Amino acid sequence: MNNSMISAMVAMSGIQQKLGVVSDNIANADTVGYKSKEATFEDVFAIVKQQPGAASSLAGRSTASGYNIGFGARMGDVTMNMTQGAMQTTGNPTDLAIQGDAMFRVSVDGKEGWTREGSFHFVPVANDPKSAYMATAQGYLLLDNQGDPIKVPAKTDIGIDDKGVIRSTDGQGRVTVVNKTVVENGQERQIPQSIGVDRVIHPEGLQQMDGNLFVLPANAQRAQVVGTMSADTEIRQGFLESSNVDLSSEMTDMMNVQRAYQLAARALSSSDQMMNLTNTIRG
């Protein structure tokens, strides 16, 4: 197999992966809180080939005695574009959006997970009809800043300020802060319960799951990936964050990718034809 055929095959494989990234972005152009992906490419370097014969040892030559032989390009990495999406007003008190570089903290099979999708709803608490949990559309419970599920009084109006502190309003118009009991040094005390929001330090350190959800890989350290919400980050109640996918840009990328794939396929076909001609030559 000659170098041109190898280069075309490697290029087609990388372009096909790029097409998958673009297709994923287009499919999620209307997904709440979705962050678009960006793919980077790198050369596949193989060997340095020396100039043949006496040409490699001529006195006074200014060019290198060898030249690089590469085998096309491959997709190196896929990163998330964390640019803020547009805010859409919904008026729904359980719809939340984050203004800033952060993610909602949720419970995923007993472990922490993160998402930008703020379309929450109430789910009943077993054996406690007076309370309700807040959960995502997929059923993952929203956590507070202590890592416990958000529990609010059922059948009341819920208000959430820009820092995530929760207040409830009963049927008589009385507003109270939703507190939770914590134990410190053997003593119980009440503290306000607020929405758990974490700042994403290294988005590339998160592993994406279905449903616009992210978790820590098995070997990752939490402190190296997420941290405390910054002071300028705010929570907006009654809003949802739109996807940050630029559909026109993605469609342009798709056309470019398709043309690049066609070019690589023609190069592969030409290499195959030349190899067949070479094999049929008789002395």
Side-chain angles (χ1 to χ4, degrees):
M1 187 178 295
N2 56 32
N3 291 345
S4 60
M5 185 175 291
I6 296 175
S7 298
M9 292 177 61
V10 172
M12 290 174 67
S13 177
I15 294 171
Q16 190 171 11
Q17 291 176 305
K18 169 67 174 179
L19 183 60
V21 173
V22 174
S23 300
D24 195 17
N25 288 337
I26 294 176
N28 288 279
D30 294 327
T31 300
V32 175
Y34 178 81
K35 297 302 178 184
S36 62
K37 302 184 185 69
E38 297 177 351
T40 58
F41 282 80
E42 58 189 10
D43 293 333
V44 181
F45 175 73
I47 59 174
V48 176
K49 188 173 182 61
Q50 297 297 319
Q51 296 284 358
S56 61
S57 59
L58 292 176
R61 66 177 290 132
S62 58
T63 57
S65 60
Y67 55 93
N68 299 338
I69 294 181
F71 291 125
R74 65 180 179 184
M75 193 171 72
D77 197 9
V78 177
T79 58
M80 283 193 301
N81 180 3
M82 298 300 294
T83 304
Q84 180 79 45
M87 294 290 182
Q88 291 183 341
T89 304
T90 65
N92 188 346
T94 59
D95 285 343
L96 304 177
I98 297 176
Q99 184 75 41
D101 183 16
M103 285 186 173
F104 294 108
R105 190 191 307 175
V106 296
S107 176
V108 182
D109 299 329
K111 299 180 181 179
E112 285 184 328
W114 294 269
T115 183
R116 291 280 296 198
E117 184 177 351
S119 53
F120 300 104
H121 64 279
F122 293 125
V123 295
V125 179
N127 303 322
D128 188 2
K130 296 183 179 181
S131 301
Y133 289 132
M134 292 185 66
T136 65
Q138 294 79 26
Y140 301 114
L141 297 182
L142 178 64
L143 301 180
D144 62 13
N145 53 7
Q146 303 291 323
D148 298 320
I150 295 288
K151 183 187 291 188
V152 297
K155 299 180 181 179
T156 60
D157 294 331
I158 299 300
I160 301 172
D161 65 15
D162 57 357
K163 296 305 177 185
V165 177
I166 306 171
R167 294 175 173 83
S168 66
T169 304
D170 60 18
Q172 299 179 355
R174 292 175 297 188
V175 180
T176 57
V177 176
V178 178
N179 292 323
K180 59 176 291 187
T181 303
V182 297
V183 179
E184 294 181 355
N185 300 323
Q187 300 292 328
E188 291 187 356
R189 67 186 185 94
Q190 298 289 317
I191 63 172
Q193 192 172 39
S194 59
I195 305 295
V197 176
D198 294 317
R199 180 171 60 93
V200 181
I201 303 173
H202 297 294
E204 66 277 4
L206 295 176
Q207 177 183 349
Q208 186 172 12
M209 299 177 63
D210 293 336
N212 203 14
L213 187 70
F214 297 86
V215 296
L216 281 176
N219 58 347
Q221 298 294 324
R222 188 186 192 279
Q224 297 176 356
V225 180
V226 295
T228 306
M229 181 178 70
S230 58
D232 58 346
T233 301
E234 297 181 350
I235 297 176
R236 302 289 181 87
Q237 185 181 18
F239 288 83
L240 287 177
E241 181 188 6
S242 302
S243 170
N244 68 347
V245 173
D246 185 348
L247 194 56
S248 61
S249 176
E250 296 297 332
M251 293 300 294
T252 302
D253 283 346
M254 174 170 285
M255 288 188 292
N256 291 334
V257 168
Q258 290 176 337
R259 291 171 181 172
Y261 191 88
Q262 291 174 354
L263 181 61
R266 289 178 182 176
L268 179 62
S269 178
S270 298
S271 298
D272 182 59
Q273 291 176 4
M274 289 188 292
M275 182 174 291
N276 289 334
L277 288 173
T278 303
N279 292 334
T280 56
I281 293 177
R282 297 182 179 179

